[in-house]
Amino acid sequence: MILPRYHIAASAIHGAGNGLFLDEAVAAGRIITAPDRIEQTFRYADIMASPQLRAQFHASARWFEDRYTLSPDWPDECYINHSFTPNGLWHLGFVFALAELPAGSEITVDYRHLLPPGEAEDFVDAATGETIVGLSWQQSLADSTRVLAELLAAHR
């Protein structure tokens, strides 16, 4: 579920296709997206073992540990693009605003939190040319928890 008003339009990120843009300002620390209608998660090993599930892996996101959702219907949340300097923080399926975001902002997150550990995205970061490689669950959780705690402490 996307909480602020938004629209989908051509991304400002070279090669990214469409992006998710805010139609209203969002305060730092506020939730931009929250999980809803998550009917099932799959273990990574089960996805890789099933040709049917593996064919949908391009539309996956890691939610916790080795559990992933598959969204072949491509909900609007899937239009959030990658950045190594994101304006949104992916934390346990929620996306939090990392700064005061004016209307018109394109929402980005660091895809390393959504990928399997050590797995490289099939494209590179548009700004840096760097490979996007999934973090371990422990590193992802520690990093996103630290950033979220600092963000919320700064915006009480």
Side-chain angles (χ1 to χ4, degrees):
M1 138 184 25
I2 303 169
L3 300 176
R5 291 186 323 271
Y6 72 95
H7 67 278
I8 305 300
S11 176
I13 301 168
H14 177 72
N18 287 329
L20 189 147
F21 293 84
L22 297 175
D23 288 340
E24 62 185 87
V26 174
R30 297 300 308 263
I31 295 172
I32 299 169
T33 69
D36 73 336
R37 293 183 281 153
I38 306 299
E39 296 177 18
Q40 186 174 8
T41 62
F42 300 90
R43 289 179 345 126
Y44 180 78
D46 294 339
I47 294 170
M48 294 299 110
S50 165
Q52 180 182 10
L53 294 177
R54 190 175 188 151
Q56 299 176 41
F57 195 66
H58 68 281
S60 70
R62 178 175 61 194
W63 284 80
F64 61 94
E65 296 178 349
D66 77 335
R67 305 296 292 213
Y68 296 77
T69 56
L70 301 173
S71 301
D73 58 337
W74 207 256
D76 285 353
E77 290 89 342
C78 293
Y79 290 104
I80 295 175
N81 287 312
H82 165 78
S83 175
F84 282 130
T85 55
N87 58 12
L89 171 67
W90 174 272
H91 180 74
L92 298 173
F94 291 84
V95 174
F96 292 84
L98 283 170
E100 303 294 323
L101 301 177
S105 297
E106 179 177 0
I107 303 305
T108 58
V109 297
D110 186 339
Y111 279 9
R112 295 177 297 175
H113 294 285
L114 286 77
L115 294 170
E119 182 171 305
E121 188 62 86
D122 58 359
F123 55 87
V124 297
D125 178 73
T128 66
E130 292 180 51
T131 303
I132 305 162
V133 179
L135 300 170
S136 70
W137 165 248
Q138 294 82 359
Q139 186 69 54
S140 173
L141 184 60
D143 289 355
S144 66
T145 300
R146 178 187 46 75
V147 171
L148 182 58
E150 291 170 358
L151 176 67
L152 296 178
H155 293 91
R156 285 184 194 191

